[in-house]
Amino acid sequence: MDETQSPINLWGKRLVLGVTGSIAAYKAVGLLRAFAREGAAVSVVMTQAATKFVTPLTFEVLSGKRVATDLFESHEEMAHLIVPGQAQAIIVAPATANFLAKAALGLADDLLSTMLLNAQCPVIVAPAMDGDMWTHPTVVQHVQVLRGRGVVVLDPEVGPLASGQVAQGRLPAESRILDAVHAALIPQQDWQGQRVLVSAGPTQEPIDPVRFISNRSSGKMGYAIAEAARDRGAEVVLVTGPAALAPPPGVTTVSVNTASEMSDALSLHFLSSTVLIMAAAVADFRLKMPAEQKLKKQGKSELILELESTPDILAMLSARRTSQIMVGFAAETEQVLSHAKDKLREKGLDLIVANDVAQAGGGFGSDDNAVVILSATGEQKALGLMPKRRLADKILTAVRELCLSAPRRESLVE
Ligand code: CTP
């Protein structure tokens, strides 16, 4: 069965349903049931005003979980809710004009508004209010601010309202809210048919059995790319240097230590791949002769290690390519774009992701990054500071648009 058509397409998804104080609060009960029918685990958060319209007990019975209403109440359910990263989407339905104002301004005076400030997941807001309120300039401005920040604010529907007015203010239909949640959570399968080889992490070049030369790469960017490609339908092989990250489910993960092991593992999978994304920070030098036993200091005041260069894996694979799309990364601390352009040309790449590893808030080890993508055909795309997982999706979209969709590469798309 096509999962996107099945009734369980939110299977295993962790959702927060925020309910605010509108007469339409009772419709959130139907929404909760619809999410649960599709397999989602839903935690409900109500504002105090919402509890005047519907009792928390109604939602508790249907969700099988305690309903959180109070920022200062401490129970396990609530503690989970306010931890960023726990929810995969927050849906506020119905959302009052008061809620929109608080969200737009970043006020955090109750549990729901506090959670929004912590949110790192998609936020979908379904407003319901009187028609004159929806068209009031203050509300219009708040909606604009929220949309500008990436919040999905659905337009309310036209119809009879509690005030007796017929105007635009009715809670959007359940099917529209569900569509918005699906669009946010079920990735497009636009990488289906691609076999993507990704490298990630640092390499470790031994000095002796207990010491090595390495770098600050955490592997987070490469892992995020592997996960994003998997979610978009690709078959993914991830070759990773030592990283403190769990192997992504659904991805064939090969662990290596040295540049030479990474080279062997990538060579093995390269010819059967359609795209190589080389996010690893490969050591450029290794010891000519690593010691077989632990080096002793024995009164020495200095130690000179003789290094030799490692193979440039990307350049070597580029020379062997049949029809693979080649994407490299350029980790730079100065003259980022000009160094990246040189690498793009010298290594025979289609695309390079230029990464200023000295920037504040991004680079090695960080959860966020900002990059510039440069293509062999001269396109340039700057992507501002954002979580590496979101950036991974943007990089994949750029690879699709600039390389996979280009006529000269059409034969690659199976
Ligand atoms: N790379 C590689 N093999 C190496 C070194 C780098 O395949 N031995 C790849 C990296 O994975 C990256 C790209 O080449 O995709 C650029 O790596 P980077 O470290 O930025 O540049 P280098 O080529 O090593 O050049 P330099 O250290 O002088 O900046």
Side-chain angles (χ1 to χ4, degrees):
M1 191 186 330
D2 177 354
E3 213 190 52
T4 57
Q5 300 298 311
S6 80
I8 53 158
N9 45 20
L10 294 176
W11 187 256
K13 299 281 190 248
R14 295 181 307 277
L15 308 183
V16 168
L17 174 59
V19 185
T20 72
S22 150
I23 182 71
Y26 74 92
K27 294 185 183 170
V29 175
L31 200 53
L32 167 62
R33 295 186 63 182
F35 290 148
R37 260 198 313 272
E38 294 202 9
V42 190
S43 301
V44 178
V45 178
M46 300 178 79
T47 62
Q48 285 299 336
T51 63
K52 308 276 187 228
F53 291 94
V54 186
T55 65
L57 186 62
T58 311
F59 290 104
E60 283 182 0
V61 170
L62 292 171
S63 67
K65 289 182 185 186
R66 278 191 70 176
V67 168
T69 53
D70 186 354
L71 183 56
F72 300 102
E73 187 189 356
S74 103
H75 58 76
E76 206 182 314
E77 181 61 32
M78 203 191 83
H80 276 97
L81 290 177
I82 55 175
V83 174
Q86 289 291 321
Q88 289 169 291
I90 298 179
I91 303 101
V92 184
T96 58
N98 181 54
F99 170 81
L100 294 176
K102 289 204 300 185
L105 295 172
L107 299 185
D109 62 351
D110 63 10
L111 180 57
L112 186 58
S113 49
T114 305
M115 282 177 60
L116 278 199
L117 279 187
N118 263 334
Q120 293 182 358
C121 60
V123 177
I124 294 143
V125 173
M129 64 193 73
D130 211 41
D132 293 336
M133 279 177 146
W134 176 248
T135 52
H136 191 283
T138 313
V139 176
V140 170
Q141 197 182 2
H142 291 150
V143 169
Q144 267 171 2
V145 167
L146 290 170
R147 284 181 175 156
R149 262 184 232 146
V151 173
V152 177
V153 183
L154 300 175
D155 284 327
E157 291 179 5
V158 178
L161 304 174
S163 62
Q165 216 188 6
V166 174
Q168 188 178 15
R170 285 172 71 83
L171 183 74
E174 197 173 286
S175 60
R176 282 183 56 216
I177 301 174
L178 277 169
D179 284 350
V181 176
H182 293 164
L185 290 181
I186 302 167
Q188 256 188 309
Q189 296 294 294
D190 59 347
W191 275 69
Q192 219 158 26
Q194 298 297 331
R195 286 192 292 271
V196 183
L197 182 57
V198 183
S199 73
T203 64
Q204 290 180 350
E205 309 302 327
I207 295 172
D208 67 16
V210 297
R211 303 181 179 95
F212 54 78
I213 298 173
S214 191
N215 58 62
R216 294 184 197 280
S217 168
S218 64
K220 285 178 186 168
M221 194 66 244
Y223 276 60
I225 290 171
E227 286 169 2
R230 171 204 64 196
D231 290 349
R232 289 165 71 160
E235 234 176 273
V236 185
V237 176
L238 172 66
V239 175
T240 175
L245 299 169
V251 166
T252 305
T253 303
V254 182
S255 294
V256 297
N257 281 306
T258 63
S260 151
E261 288 168 13
M262 184 167 277
S263 175
D264 290 348
L266 289 170
S267 300
L268 194 66
H269 294 280
F270 179 65
L271 290 177
S272 58
S273 301
T274 57
V275 179
L276 168 70
I277 303 182
M278 191 76 194
V282 186
D284 287 327
F285 291 95
R286 64 184 169 206
L287 253 73
K288 240 180 177 168
M289 293 269 289
E292 280 178 17
Q293 305 301 332
K294 186 183 170 201
L295 292 174
K296 305 304 273 178
K297 54 181 179 297
Q298 283 163 343
K300 294 190 196 101
S301 62
E302 65 176 27
L303 174 69
I304 294 171
L305 299 173
E306 202 179 344
L307 304 180
E308 64 179 10
S309 59
T310 57
D312 188 318
I313 305 173
L314 205 41
M316 180 263 291
L317 292 177
S318 184
R320 280 192 213 157
R321 75 201 285 191
T322 48
S323 54
Q324 291 77 8
I325 297 291
M326 310 282 298
V327 180
F329 271 68
E332 308 292 349
T333 55
E334 39 129 33
Q335 298 176 50
V336 177
L337 293 186
S338 76
H339 284 323
K341 277 181 193 156
D342 291 346
K343 287 176 189 174
L344 179 75
R345 197 185 52 251
E346 284 160 14
K347 298 185 193 230
L349 307 176
D350 297 286
L351 220 68
I352 196 152
V353 182
N355 188 5
D356 181 351
V357 287
Q359 69 187 315
F364 284 158
S366 162
D367 287 332
D368 298 329
N369 208 1
V371 301
V372 179
I373 298 179
L374 305 168
S375 80
T377 42
E379 287 96 341
Q380 189 166 319
K381 197 175 230 167
L383 300 172
L385 198 65
M386 65 183 91
K388 285 182 174 170
R389 182 59 171 78
R390 184 128 50 96
L391 195 58
D393 267 313
K394 301 239 177 215
I395 292 170
L396 291 182
T397 300
V399 175
R400 247 210 100 67
E401 284 170 2
L402 299 177
C403 308
L404 293 172
S405 312
R408 69 195 168 87
R409 295 285 176 207
E410 228 149 50
S411 60
L412 278 183
V413 186
E414 294 181 351

